[in-house]
Amino acid sequence: MSKSVLVTGAATGLGRGVAWTLAERGHKVIAGCQIWPQVWELRNAAMAAGVQMQVIKLDVLNEIDRKHALAIEIDVLFNNAGIMESGPVVEIPMSVFRSVFNPGAYRTGFNDTGMQTMDQWWSLGDRIVAHWPLRELDRQHDPAEMINAIAAVIEEDKPAYRTVRPASAEAMVKKEQSDVWSRRV
């Protein structure tokens, strides 16, 4: 059965991958992008690939954008938009800290550029913690596994309560959670 799915944070990363995958599978996708250049780029990419999706401007911190999105009838909301900020919490400037914990706020780039975010503000004042050495992010998982898992959960009528990917992490998570449930005081 085809579903109507609103994907926030659809301009890049997992949001884009999930929106694209669901649209290719015949679902009605409303892909929300934070800024107009992202809307334009995704619309053009979808049109060039022959993928049908409705691409809208949706900055969830913008009241006008939220009202527009709330008027659209959907079956599923994949609330993917978010901000990634790196650095020790004690060192993050308050203005940046607030944006990270503002539900649904956007910033794109995920792991690679997300790890560089503190370089924007690190030199602005005295620090308690030493800046950690930069390293290549060369041990990341293939996002296709996560994108397909998210799409499968959205498509199922009665999906599992919890889905962990990559699959190699599932046993580790189950063990950690089991340890907590069986711990004695």
Side-chain angles (χ1 to χ4, degrees):
M1 179 181 115
S2 179
K3 294 183 179 180
S4 177
V5 183
L6 172 59
V7 180
T8 67
T12 62
L14 292 176
R16 185 182 184 118
V18 170
W20 200 275
T21 298
L22 291 170
E24 285 182 325
R25 294 181 183 179
H27 297 279
K28 179 184 179 203
V29 173
I30 301 94
C33 301
Q34 179 192 17
I35 59 175
W36 285 109
Q38 294 171 336
V39 171
W40 182 87
E41 189 281 326
L42 184 54
R43 281 181 183 161
N44 285 305
M47 192 173 1
V51 174
Q52 293 287 318
M53 69 172 72
Q54 179 184 356
V55 184
I56 64 171
K57 181 182 178 299
L58 177 55
D59 178 343
V60 297
L61 298 179
N62 181 305
E63 184 179 357
I64 295 169
D65 291 357
R66 287 192 312 267
K67 283 182 179 179
H68 178 248
L70 288 169
I72 301 169
E73 190 169 325
I74 61 169
D75 300 312
V76 177
L77 168 63
F78 176 47
N79 200 14
N80 169 72
I83 287 179
M84 178 179 177
E85 185 65 47
S86 65
V89 172
V90 70
E91 300 287 10
I92 297 174
M94 189 52 68
S95 60
V96 174
F97 186 82
R98 285 189 182 114
S99 72
V100 171
F101 289 95
N102 220 333
Y106 292 75
R107 195 175 285 171
T108 58
F110 286 88
N111 298 337
D112 298 304
T113 55
M115 292 305 294
Q116 298 170 2
T117 57
M118 72 178 186
D119 295 335
Q120 293 278 84
W121 50 261
W122 190 264
S123 64
L124 297 178
D126 294 333
R127 299 287 165 227
I128 299 169
V129 178
H131 192 301
W132 54 68
L134 294 178
R135 67 172 179 82
E136 291 295 317
L137 296 175
D138 56 359
R139 292 183 281 170
Q140 298 179 63
H141 297 284
D142 180 359
E145 183 180 5
M146 180 63 77
I147 289 166
N148 288 324
I150 294 167
V153 167
I154 289 170
E155 291 177 322
E156 288 182 41
D157 287 328
K158 294 187 178 199
Y161 177 74
R162 177 159 294 153
T163 302
V164 177
R165 293 292 178 271
S168 59
E170 187 173 348
M172 177 189 69
V173 170
K174 285 180 178 177
K175 181 184 180 328
E176 287 178 4
Q177 291 176 349
S178 172
D179 290 349
V180 171
W181 281 99
S182 60
R183 187 181 303 155
R184 299 286 179 217
V185 180

